[in-house]
Amino acid sequence: MSSRIELDHVRQTFWVRGDDDKQLREFVALDDLSLAIGEGEFLTVVGPSGCGKSTVLDLIAGLAHPSGGRLTVDGVAVTGPGRDRSVVFQQYTLLPWRTAQGNVEFALEAAGVKGRGERREQARHYLALVGLAEFANRYPHELSGGMKQRVAIARSLSYEPQVLLMDEPFGALDAQTRERLQEELLGIWRRTGTTVVFITHDIDEAVFLGQRVAVMSARPGRIKEVIDVDLDREAAGETDLRATPAFAAYRHHIWTLLREQHGAPVQRSLEEVRTVA
Ligand code: ADP
Ligand code: MG
């Protein structure tokens, strides 16, 4: 498996206000973070809130630039967002005045797909892929939370990015919708062969989806361990994969890794609370 994305000793700092609220000081969000993501791989990243997961994703997306280290996609340093990478955020970010179909077409237009007919076809195809063929003409307010998130996924897939970056995309959904979308996403990934980097704070979700799970540690954020998940998801068929001993062993291992970090009481500093708020 060749590397598509490489983070090499990446460091990210932010300027934040100190306790006196006057002096700016440097806050180290990520330090010495190295990670290689393979072509066509489904990698999940799990870690506690505030450990720097979104920061990692923003860097790969090109929405922020690392303060130190090197970040490359296909060997080329990332300098900004690109059509090769698309992001699905936790909140539904649909245009309320456009239908599901219109939202996907809009993204295609922004991505430079010139022909109207082509945009229409492509949008239809990807809405069908996420199971929304019948709902193409509905407006966001006429769709459930899960449906809106599926439109967002269809929109991200529609311009066929080589890399799909997902930041806790199912975090706001109920458990059943979440599980259905997880299965759908795995199906889409198998069919399209796109590289997926999926951020979550949910251990089960990380194990269920990831071929590998990168476990992050906090303060400063770095990769603590990368675990190969060897579960036969297709053989599992109708059985509950999450109830198998193999699944439980992975879950427990990751739980232990995350728990270790709380050996000492976690001190949330004021500036951290402030910057999160
Ligand atoms: P996660 O997604 O794992 O919850 P984030 O990547 O959002 O964590 O944030 C990591 C740390 O960096 C947090 O302590 C957060 O407060 C801080 N941080 C993130 N973005 C900024 C910013 N733009 N300015 C200052 N601090 C930030
Ligand atoms: Mg986050």
Side-chain angles (χ1 to χ4, degrees), residues 142-204:
E142 298 169 320
L143 299 168
S144 71
M147 288 170 164
K148 278 186 268 204
Q149 200 58 324
R150 279 193 274 168
V151 176
I153 294 168
R155 182 181 57 187
S156 285
L157 288 169
S158 68
Y159 47 94
E160 299 179 352
Q162 286 144 17
V163 180
L164 188 58
L165 304 168
M166 308 184 87
D167 193 357
E168 309 203 27
F170 305 150
L173 305 175
D174 65 88
Q176 270 172 322
T177 306
R178 172 186 267 238
E179 284 186 16
R180 214 173 39 245
L181 284 192
Q182 287 169 350
E183 272 154 34
E184 250 165 50
L185 179 62
L186 281 177
I188 290 168
W189 167 69
R190 282 189 205 109
R191 288 196 291 276
T192 58
T194 183
T195 305
V196 182
V197 183
F198 188 106
I199 304 280
T200 181
H201 61 260
D202 184 298
I203 300 177
D204 278 36

Short mmCIF file of all heavy atoms in Angstrom, two decimals, residues 142-204:
data_model
loop_
_atom_site.label_atom_id
_atom_site.label_comp_id
_atom_site.label_asym_id
_atom_site.label_seq_id
_atom_site.Cartn_x
_atom_site.Cartn_y
_atom_site.Cartn_z
N GLU A 142 -37.12 19.61 4.82
CA GLU A 142 -38.05 18.49 4.63
C GLU A 142 -37.36 17.13 4.82
O GLU A 142 -37.95 16.09 4.56
CB GLU A 142 -38.67 18.55 3.24
CG GLU A 142 -39.47 19.82 3.01
CD GLU A 142 -39.86 20.01 1.54
OE1 GLU A 142 -39.03 19.72 0.66
OE2 GLU A 142 -40.99 20.45 1.29
N LEU A 143 -36.09 17.17 5.22
CA LEU A 143 -35.32 15.94 5.38
C LEU A 143 -34.96 15.74 6.86
O LEU A 143 -34.81 16.69 7.61
CB LEU A 143 -34.02 16.02 4.57
CG LEU A 143 -34.16 16.19 3.05
CD1 LEU A 143 -32.81 16.54 2.43
CD2 LEU A 143 -34.74 14.92 2.44
N SER A 144 -34.79 14.46 7.24
CA SER A 144 -34.37 14.17 8.62
C SER A 144 -32.87 14.45 8.74
O SER A 144 -32.18 14.66 7.74
CB SER A 144 -34.63 12.70 8.93
OG SER A 144 -33.72 11.90 8.21
N GLY A 145 -32.39 14.46 9.99
CA GLY A 145 -30.97 14.71 10.23
C GLY A 145 -30.07 13.74 9.46
O GLY A 145 -29.10 14.14 8.83
N GLY A 146 -30.44 12.46 9.50
CA GLY A 146 -29.65 11.44 8.80
C GLY A 146 -29.64 11.67 7.30
O GLY A 146 -28.63 11.47 6.62
N MET A 147 -30.79 12.08 6.77
CA MET A 147 -30.89 12.34 5.32
C MET A 147 -30.03 13.54 4.94
O MET A 147 -29.37 13.53 3.91
CB MET A 147 -32.34 12.60 4.92
CG MET A 147 -33.20 11.36 4.94
SD MET A 147 -34.93 11.86 4.73
CE MET A 147 -35.65 10.31 4.30
N LYS A 148 -30.07 14.57 5.76
CA LYS A 148 -29.27 15.76 5.46
C LYS A 148 -27.78 15.39 5.43
O LYS A 148 -27.04 15.85 4.56
CB LYS A 148 -29.52 16.86 6.50
CG LYS A 148 -30.78 17.66 6.21
CD LYS A 148 -30.91 18.82 7.16
CE LYS A 148 -31.71 18.41 8.36
NZ LYS A 148 -32.35 19.50 9.07
N GLN A 149 -27.39 14.55 6.38
CA GLN A 149 -25.99 14.17 6.41
C GLN A 149 -25.65 13.31 5.19
O GLN A 149 -24.55 13.40 4.66
CB GLN A 149 -25.67 13.45 7.73
CG GLN A 149 -24.20 13.41 8.09
CD GLN A 149 -23.54 14.79 8.22
OE1 GLN A 149 -23.84 15.72 7.49
NE2 GLN A 149 -22.61 14.92 9.13
N ARG A 150 -26.61 12.52 4.72
CA ARG A 150 -26.37 11.74 3.50
C ARG A 150 -26.25 12.63 2.28
O ARG A 150 -25.47 12.35 1.38
CB ARG A 150 -27.49 10.70 3.31
CG ARG A 150 -27.25 9.48 4.17
CD ARG A 150 -28.14 8.37 3.78
NE ARG A 150 -29.43 8.46 4.46
CZ ARG A 150 -30.49 7.73 4.13
NH1 ARG A 150 -30.42 6.88 3.13
NH2 ARG A 150 -31.60 7.86 4.80
N VAL A 151 -27.03 13.72 2.25
CA VAL A 151 -26.87 14.68 1.14
C VAL A 151 -25.46 15.27 1.19
O VAL A 151 -24.79 15.39 0.15
CB VAL A 151 -27.93 15.82 1.22
CG1 VAL A 151 -27.68 16.84 0.10
CG2 VAL A 151 -29.34 15.27 1.12
N ALA A 152 -25.01 15.60 2.41
CA ALA A 152 -23.66 16.16 2.54
C ALA A 152 -22.60 15.16 2.05
O ALA A 152 -21.62 15.54 1.41
CB ALA A 152 -23.39 16.55 3.98
N ILE A 153 -22.83 13.88 2.33
CA ILE A 153 -21.88 12.87 1.87
C ILE A 153 -21.94 12.74 0.35
O ILE A 153 -20.91 12.68 -0.34
CB ILE A 153 -22.15 11.51 2.57
CG1 ILE A 153 -21.85 11.63 4.07
CG2 ILE A 153 -21.31 10.40 1.95
CD1 ILE A 153 -22.34 10.46 4.91
N ALA A 154 -23.18 12.72 -0.18
CA ALA A 154 -23.34 12.65 -1.65
C ALA A 154 -22.65 13.83 -2.31
O ALA A 154 -21.97 13.69 -3.33
CB ALA A 154 -24.83 12.64 -2.01
N ARG A 155 -22.81 14.99 -1.72
CA ARG A 155 -22.19 16.20 -2.26
C ARG A 155 -20.67 16.07 -2.28
O ARG A 155 -20.01 16.42 -3.25
CB ARG A 155 -22.62 17.40 -1.41
CG ARG A 155 -22.09 18.73 -1.90
CD ARG A 155 -22.53 19.84 -1.00
NE ARG A 155 -22.11 19.61 0.38
CZ ARG A 155 -22.48 20.37 1.40
NH1 ARG A 155 -23.30 21.38 1.22
NH2 ARG A 155 -22.05 20.11 2.61
N SER A 156 -20.12 15.54 -1.18
CA SER A 156 -18.66 15.38 -1.10
C SER A 156 -18.15 14.35 -2.10
O SER A 156 -17.06 14.49 -2.64
CB SER A 156 -18.25 14.95 0.30
OG SER A 156 -18.34 16.04 1.16
N LEU A 157 -18.94 13.29 -2.30
CA LEU A 157 -18.51 12.24 -3.22
C LEU A 157 -18.69 12.65 -4.68
O LEU A 157 -18.00 12.15 -5.56
CB LEU A 157 -19.32 10.96 -2.97
CG LEU A 157 -19.02 10.20 -1.69
CD1 LEU A 157 -20.09 9.14 -1.47
CD2 LEU A 157 -17.64 9.55 -1.74
N SER A 158 -19.63 13.59 -4.92
CA SER A 158 -20.08 13.84 -6.30
C SER A 158 -18.97 14.31 -7.22
O SER A 158 -18.96 13.98 -8.39
CB SER A 158 -21.22 14.88 -6.29
OG SER A 158 -20.71 16.14 -5.90
N TYR A 159 -18.03 15.06 -6.70
CA TYR A 159 -16.96 15.48 -7.61
C TYR A 159 -15.75 14.55 -7.53
O TYR A 159 -14.65 14.90 -7.93
CB TYR A 159 -16.60 16.95 -7.44
CG TYR A 159 -16.40 17.47 -6.03
CD1 TYR A 159 -15.14 17.51 -5.47
CD2 TYR A 159 -17.48 17.91 -5.29
CE1 TYR A 159 -14.95 17.98 -4.20
CE2 TYR A 159 -17.30 18.39 -4.01
CZ TYR A 159 -16.04 18.42 -3.47
OH TYR A 159 -15.88 18.90 -2.19
N GLU A 160 -16.01 13.36 -7.02
CA GLU A 160 -15.07 12.25 -7.03
C GLU A 160 -13.69 12.63 -6.50
O GLU A 160 -12.69 12.53 -7.22
CB GLU A 160 -15.02 11.64 -8.44
CG GLU A 160 -16.41 11.13 -8.77
CD GLU A 160 -16.57 10.51 -10.16
OE1 GLU A 160 -15.62 10.60 -10.94
OE2 GLU A 160 -17.65 9.95 -10.40
N PRO A 161 -13.65 13.03 -5.24
CA PRO A 161 -12.37 13.35 -4.63
C PRO A 161 -11.57 12.07 -4.41
O PRO A 161 -12.16 11.00 -4.26
CB PRO A 161 -12.77 13.96 -3.29
CG PRO A 161 -14.03 13.25 -2.94
CD PRO A 161 -14.74 13.04 -4.25
N GLN A 162 -10.27 12.19 -4.43
CA GLN A 162 -9.46 11.00 -4.16
C GLN A 162 -9.42 10.74 -2.65
O GLN A 162 -9.20 9.63 -2.23
CB GLN A 162 -8.05 11.21 -4.71
CG GLN A 162 -8.04 11.09 -6.22
CD GLN A 162 -7.07 12.03 -6.88
OE1 GLN A 162 -6.18 12.57 -6.24
NE2 GLN A 162 -7.23 12.23 -8.16
N VAL A 163 -9.64 11.80 -1.90
CA VAL A 163 -9.57 11.67 -0.44
C VAL A 163 -10.83 12.27 0.18
O VAL A 163 -11.20 13.41 -0.11
CB VAL A 163 -8.33 12.40 0.11
CG1 VAL A 163 -8.27 12.26 1.63
CG2 VAL A 163 -7.05 11.87 -0.52
N LEU A 164 -11.49 11.48 1.04
CA LEU A 164 -12.68 11.96 1.74
C LEU A 164 -12.32 12.14 3.21
O LEU A 164 -11.90 11.19 3.88
CB LEU A 164 -13.79 10.92 1.57
CG LEU A 164 -15.18 11.27 2.05
CD1 LEU A 164 -15.71 12.53 1.36
CD2 LEU A 164 -16.13 10.11 1.80
N LEU A 165 -12.47 13.38 3.69
CA LEU A 165 -12.10 13.70 5.07
C LEU A 165 -13.37 13.92 5.87
O LEU A 165 -14.19 14.76 5.51
CB LEU A 165 -11.23 14.97 5.08
CG LEU A 165 -9.98 14.90 4.21
CD1 LEU A 165 -9.35 16.28 4.06
CD2 LEU A 165 -8.97 13.91 4.79
N MET A 166 -13.57 13.17 6.93
CA MET A 166 -14.83 13.24 7.66
C MET A 166 -14.57 13.53 9.13
O MET A 166 -13.86 12.79 9.81
CB MET A 166 -15.60 11.92 7.48
CG MET A 166 -15.74 11.53 6.01
SD MET A 166 -16.73 10.05 5.74
CE MET A 166 -18.38 10.75 5.66
N ASP A 167 -15.13 14.63 9.61
CA ASP A 167 -14.91 15.06 11.00
C ASP A 167 -16.15 14.79 11.84
O ASP A 167 -17.09 15.59 11.85
CB ASP A 167 -14.54 16.55 11.04
CG ASP A 167 -14.00 16.96 12.40
OD1 ASP A 167 -13.96 16.10 13.31
OD2 ASP A 167 -13.61 18.13 12.56
N GLU A 168 -16.18 13.67 12.52
CA GLU A 168 -17.31 13.25 13.34
C GLU A 168 -18.64 13.47 12.60
O GLU A 168 -19.56 14.11 13.15
CB GLU A 168 -17.30 14.00 14.68
CG GLU A 168 -15.95 13.92 15.38
CD GLU A 168 -16.01 14.13 16.88
OE1 GLU A 168 -17.06 13.85 17.47
OE2 GLU A 168 -14.99 14.55 17.45
N PRO A 169 -18.77 12.93 11.39
CA PRO A 169 -19.92 13.26 10.57
C PRO A 169 -21.23 12.70 11.11
O PRO A 169 -22.30 13.20 10.78
CB PRO A 169 -19.59 12.62 9.21
CG PRO A 169 -18.70 11.49 9.55
CD PRO A 169 -17.88 11.96 10.71
N PHE A 170 -21.15 11.65 11.94
CA PHE A 170 -22.38 11.03 12.42
C PHE A 170 -22.64 11.35 13.90
O PHE A 170 -23.51 10.78 14.53
CB PHE A 170 -22.32 9.50 12.24
CG PHE A 170 -22.02 9.07 10.83
CD1 PHE A 170 -21.34 7.88 10.58
CD2 PHE A 170 -22.41 9.84 9.74
CE1 PHE A 170 -21.07 7.47 9.28
CE2 PHE A 170 -22.13 9.44 8.44
CZ PHE A 170 -21.46 8.24 8.21
N GLY A 171 -21.87 12.29 14.42
CA GLY A 171 -21.92 12.60 15.85
C GLY A 171 -23.28 13.06 16.33
O GLY A 171 -23.66 12.80 17.47
N ALA A 172 -24.03 13.74 15.47
CA ALA A 172 -25.29 14.32 15.91
C ALA A 172 -26.49 13.40 15.64
O ALA A 172 -27.62 13.79 15.83
CB ALA A 172 -25.50 15.66 15.21
N LEU A 173 -26.23 12.18 15.19
CA LEU A 173 -27.34 11.32 14.77
C LEU A 173 -27.71 10.31 15.86
O LEU A 173 -26.90 9.97 16.71
CB LEU A 173 -26.94 10.56 13.51
CG LEU A 173 -26.49 11.42 12.32
CD1 LEU A 173 -26.01 10.54 11.19
CD2 LEU A 173 -27.62 12.32 11.87
N ASP A 174 -28.95 9.82 15.79
CA ASP A 174 -29.35 8.78 16.73
C ASP A 174 -28.63 7.48 16.38
O ASP A 174 -28.14 7.31 15.27
CB ASP A 174 -30.87 8.59 16.70
CG ASP A 174 -31.33 8.07 15.35
OD1 ASP A 174 -31.36 6.84 15.16
OD2 ASP A 174 -31.64 8.90 14.47
N ALA A 175 -28.58 6.57 17.38
CA ALA A 175 -27.75 5.36 17.25
C ALA A 175 -28.09 4.52 16.01
O ALA A 175 -27.20 4.04 15.32
CB ALA A 175 -27.87 4.52 18.51
N GLN A 176 -29.39 4.38 15.72
CA GLN A 176 -29.76 3.52 14.60
C GLN A 176 -29.38 4.12 13.25
O GLN A 176 -28.88 3.44 12.37
CB GLN A 176 -31.25 3.23 14.63
CG GLN A 176 -31.55 1.97 15.44
CD GLN A 176 -33.02 1.79 15.64
OE1 GLN A 176 -33.76 2.77 15.85
NE2 GLN A 176 -33.47 0.56 15.57
N THR A 177 -29.64 5.41 13.11
CA THR A 177 -29.29 6.10 11.86
C THR A 177 -27.78 6.05 11.67
O THR A 177 -27.27 5.81 10.58
CB THR A 177 -29.75 7.57 11.91
OG1 THR A 177 -31.13 7.59 12.22
CG2 THR A 177 -29.51 8.26 10.59
N ARG A 178 -27.08 6.26 12.76
CA ARG A 178 -25.63 6.25 12.74
C ARG A 178 -25.11 4.89 12.23
O ARG A 178 -24.27 4.83 11.34
CB ARG A 178 -25.13 6.52 14.16
CG ARG A 178 -23.66 6.36 14.37
CD ARG A 178 -23.36 6.51 15.85
NE ARG A 178 -23.02 7.87 16.15
CZ ARG A 178 -21.87 8.25 16.70
NH1 ARG A 178 -20.97 7.36 17.02
NH2 ARG A 178 -21.62 9.49 16.93
N GLU A 179 -25.66 3.81 12.76
CA GLU A 179 -25.20 2.48 12.34
C GLU A 179 -25.51 2.22 10.87
O GLU A 179 -24.70 1.65 10.14
CB GLU A 179 -25.84 1.38 13.20
CG GLU A 179 -25.18 1.30 14.57
CD GLU A 179 -25.67 0.14 15.41
OE1 GLU A 179 -26.29 -0.79 14.84
OE2 GLU A 179 -25.42 0.17 16.63
N ARG A 180 -26.68 2.69 10.44
CA ARG A 180 -27.03 2.48 9.03
C ARG A 180 -26.08 3.24 8.13
O ARG A 180 -25.61 2.74 7.12
CB ARG A 180 -28.48 2.89 8.79
CG ARG A 180 -29.13 2.02 7.75
CD ARG A 180 -30.61 2.25 7.56
NE ARG A 180 -31.02 3.62 7.63
CZ ARG A 180 -31.82 4.11 8.59
NH1 ARG A 180 -32.27 3.32 9.53
NH2 ARG A 180 -32.15 5.37 8.59
N LEU A 181 -25.78 4.48 8.52
CA LEU A 181 -24.88 5.29 7.70
C LEU A 181 -23.45 4.73 7.72
O LEU A 181 -22.74 4.81 6.73
CB LEU A 181 -24.88 6.75 8.16
CG LEU A 181 -26.10 7.56 7.76
CD1 LEU A 181 -25.87 9.03 8.00
CD2 LEU A 181 -26.47 7.34 6.30
N GLN A 182 -23.05 4.17 8.85
CA GLN A 182 -21.72 3.55 8.90
C GLN A 182 -21.63 2.43 7.87
O GLN A 182 -20.65 2.31 7.13
CB GLN A 182 -21.45 2.98 10.30
CG GLN A 182 -21.17 4.04 11.35
CD GLN A 182 -21.17 3.49 12.77
OE1 GLN A 182 -21.57 2.34 13.00
NE2 GLN A 182 -20.74 4.30 13.71
N GLU A 183 -22.68 1.60 7.82
CA GLU A 183 -22.67 0.50 6.86
C GLU A 183 -22.70 1.01 5.43
O GLU A 183 -21.99 0.51 4.55
CB GLU A 183 -23.85 -0.45 7.12
CG GLU A 183 -23.47 -1.51 8.13
CD GLU A 183 -24.64 -2.09 8.90
OE1 GLU A 183 -25.73 -2.20 8.30
OE2 GLU A 183 -24.46 -2.39 10.10
N GLU A 184 -23.52 2.04 5.20
CA GLU A 184 -23.58 2.64 3.86
C GLU A 184 -22.23 3.20 3.44
O GLU A 184 -21.80 3.03 2.31
CB GLU A 184 -24.61 3.77 3.85
CG GLU A 184 -25.84 3.43 3.05
CD GLU A 184 -26.96 4.41 3.35
OE1 GLU A 184 -26.70 5.62 3.30
OE2 GLU A 184 -28.08 3.95 3.64
N LEU A 185 -21.60 3.87 4.38
CA LEU A 185 -20.30 4.48 4.07
C LEU A 185 -19.27 3.42 3.70
O LEU A 185 -18.51 3.59 2.74
CB LEU A 185 -19.82 5.31 5.27
CG LEU A 185 -18.46 5.98 5.10
CD1 LEU A 185 -18.47 6.99 3.96
CD2 LEU A 185 -18.02 6.66 6.40
N LEU A 186 -19.28 2.29 4.42
CA LEU A 186 -18.35 1.21 4.09
C LEU A 186 -18.63 0.69 2.68
O LEU A 186 -17.71 0.40 1.92
CB LEU A 186 -18.46 0.06 5.10
CG LEU A 186 -17.75 0.27 6.43
CD1 LEU A 186 -18.00 -0.92 7.37
CD2 LEU A 186 -16.24 0.46 6.24
N GLY A 187 -19.93 0.58 2.34
CA GLY A 187 -20.31 0.12 1.00
C GLY A 187 -19.81 1.08 -0.07
O GLY A 187 -19.25 0.66 -1.08
N ILE A 188 -19.99 2.36 0.17
CA ILE A 188 -19.55 3.38 -0.79
C ILE A 188 -18.03 3.34 -0.94
O ILE A 188 -17.50 3.38 -2.05
CB ILE A 188 -20.01 4.79 -0.32
CG1 ILE A 188 -21.52 4.92 -0.45
CG2 ILE A 188 -19.31 5.88 -1.13
CD1 ILE A 188 -22.10 6.13 0.26
N TRP A 189 -17.35 3.20 0.17
CA TRP A 189 -15.89 3.14 0.15
C TRP A 189 -15.42 1.94 -0.68
O TRP A 189 -14.52 2.05 -1.51
CB TRP A 189 -15.37 3.08 1.58
CG TRP A 189 -13.93 2.71 1.69
CD1 TRP A 189 -12.86 3.47 1.31
CD2 TRP A 189 -13.40 1.48 2.19
NE1 TRP A 189 -11.69 2.79 1.56
CE2 TRP A 189 -12.00 1.56 2.10
CE3 TRP A 189 -13.96 0.31 2.72
CZ2 TRP A 189 -11.16 0.53 2.52
CZ3 TRP A 189 -13.13 -0.71 3.14
CH2 TRP A 189 -11.76 -0.59 3.03
N ARG A 190 -16.08 0.78 -0.49
CA ARG A 190 -15.69 -0.40 -1.25
C ARG A 190 -15.94 -0.19 -2.74
O ARG A 190 -15.15 -0.60 -3.58
CB ARG A 190 -16.50 -1.63 -0.79
CG ARG A 190 -15.96 -2.20 0.49
CD ARG A 190 -16.61 -3.54 0.82
NE ARG A 190 -16.53 -3.73 2.26
CZ ARG A 190 -17.57 -3.67 3.08
NH1 ARG A 190 -18.79 -3.46 2.63
NH2 ARG A 190 -17.40 -3.83 4.38
N ARG A 191 -17.06 0.47 -3.06
CA ARG A 191 -17.40 0.65 -4.48
C ARG A 191 -16.52 1.70 -5.15
O ARG A 191 -16.22 1.59 -6.33
CB ARG A 191 -18.87 1.04 -4.62
CG ARG A 191 -19.83 -0.10 -4.34
CD ARG A 191 -21.22 0.20 -4.85
NE ARG A 191 -21.88 1.26 -4.11
CZ ARG A 191 -22.55 1.09 -2.97
NH1 ARG A 191 -22.64 -0.12 -2.45
NH2 ARG A 191 -23.12 2.08 -2.36
N THR A 192 -16.14 2.75 -4.42
CA THR A 192 -15.44 3.86 -5.06
C THR A 192 -13.91 3.80 -4.90
O THR A 192 -13.20 4.40 -5.69
CB THR A 192 -15.89 5.22 -4.48
OG1 THR A 192 -15.66 5.22 -3.07
CG2 THR A 192 -17.36 5.48 -4.75
N GLY A 193 -13.45 3.09 -3.88
CA GLY A 193 -12.00 2.99 -3.67
C GLY A 193 -11.36 4.29 -3.22
O GLY A 193 -10.13 4.44 -3.29
N THR A 194 -12.17 5.21 -2.71
CA THR A 194 -11.62 6.47 -2.25
C THR A 194 -10.88 6.28 -0.91
O THR A 194 -11.16 5.34 -0.18
CB THR A 194 -12.76 7.52 -2.11
OG1 THR A 194 -12.23 8.76 -1.73
CG2 THR A 194 -13.79 7.11 -1.08
N THR A 195 -9.92 7.14 -0.65
CA THR A 195 -9.19 7.11 0.62
C THR A 195 -10.02 7.87 1.65
O THR A 195 -10.43 8.99 1.38
CB THR A 195 -7.81 7.78 0.46
OG1 THR A 195 -7.11 7.14 -0.60
CG2 THR A 195 -7.00 7.70 1.75
N VAL A 196 -10.28 7.25 2.80
CA VAL A 196 -11.12 7.92 3.81
C VAL A 196 -10.34 8.13 5.11
O VAL A 196 -9.71 7.20 5.62
CB VAL A 196 -12.40 7.10 4.12
CG1 VAL A 196 -13.28 7.84 5.12
CG2 VAL A 196 -13.19 6.79 2.85
N VAL A 197 -10.37 9.36 5.60
CA VAL A 197 -9.86 9.65 6.94
C VAL A 197 -11.06 10.09 7.76
O VAL A 197 -11.71 11.09 7.45
CB VAL A 197 -8.79 10.77 6.93
CG1 VAL A 197 -8.23 10.98 8.34
CG2 VAL A 197 -7.67 10.43 5.95
N PHE A 198 -11.40 9.30 8.76
CA PHE A 198 -12.65 9.47 9.50
C PHE A 198 -12.33 9.74 10.97
O PHE A 198 -11.76 8.90 11.66
CB PHE A 198 -13.48 8.19 9.35
CG PHE A 198 -14.88 8.26 9.89
CD1 PHE A 198 -15.96 8.35 9.03
CD2 PHE A 198 -15.12 8.21 11.27
CE1 PHE A 198 -17.26 8.40 9.52
CE2 PHE A 198 -16.42 8.26 11.76
CZ PHE A 198 -17.50 8.35 10.89
N ILE A 199 -12.71 10.92 11.43
CA ILE A 199 -12.44 11.32 12.81
C ILE A 199 -13.65 10.98 13.69
O ILE A 199 -14.79 11.21 13.29
CB ILE A 199 -12.25 12.85 12.88
CG1 ILE A 199 -11.15 13.31 11.94
CG2 ILE A 199 -12.04 13.32 14.32
CD1 ILE A 199 -9.78 13.13 12.43
N THR A 200 -13.38 10.45 14.86
CA THR A 200 -14.47 10.16 15.78
C THR A 200 -13.94 10.17 17.22
O THR A 200 -12.74 10.04 17.44
CB THR A 200 -15.14 8.80 15.46
OG1 THR A 200 -16.20 8.57 16.38
CG2 THR A 200 -14.16 7.65 15.54
N HIS A 201 -14.85 10.35 18.20
CA HIS A 201 -14.40 10.13 19.57
C HIS A 201 -15.02 8.85 20.11
O HIS A 201 -14.88 8.51 21.27
CB HIS A 201 -14.76 11.34 20.46
CG HIS A 201 -16.22 11.61 20.55
ND1 HIS A 201 -16.84 12.59 19.81
CD2 HIS A 201 -17.19 10.99 21.25
CE1 HIS A 201 -18.13 12.56 20.08
NE2 HIS A 201 -18.38 11.60 20.93
N ASP A 202 -15.70 8.11 19.21
CA ASP A 202 -16.42 6.91 19.58
C ASP A 202 -15.60 5.67 19.23
O ASP A 202 -15.32 5.41 18.05
CB ASP A 202 -17.76 6.92 18.81
CG ASP A 202 -18.67 5.77 19.18
OD1 ASP A 202 -18.27 4.61 18.96
OD2 ASP A 202 -19.76 6.04 19.67
N ILE A 203 -15.21 4.91 20.24
CA ILE A 203 -14.31 3.76 20.03
C ILE A 203 -14.97 2.73 19.12
O ILE A 203 -14.35 2.22 18.19
CB ILE A 203 -13.91 3.11 21.38
CG1 ILE A 203 -13.19 4.12 22.28
CG2 ILE A 203 -13.02 1.89 21.15
CD1 ILE A 203 -12.83 3.59 23.65
N ASP A 204 -16.25 2.42 19.37
CA ASP A 204 -16.94 1.43 18.55
C ASP A 204 -16.96 1.83 17.08
O ASP A 204 -16.75 1.02 16.19
CB ASP A 204 -18.40 1.26 19.02
CG ASP A 204 -18.49 0.31 20.21
OD1 ASP A 204 -17.57 0.34 21.03
OD2 ASP A 204 -19.47 -0.44 20.28
#
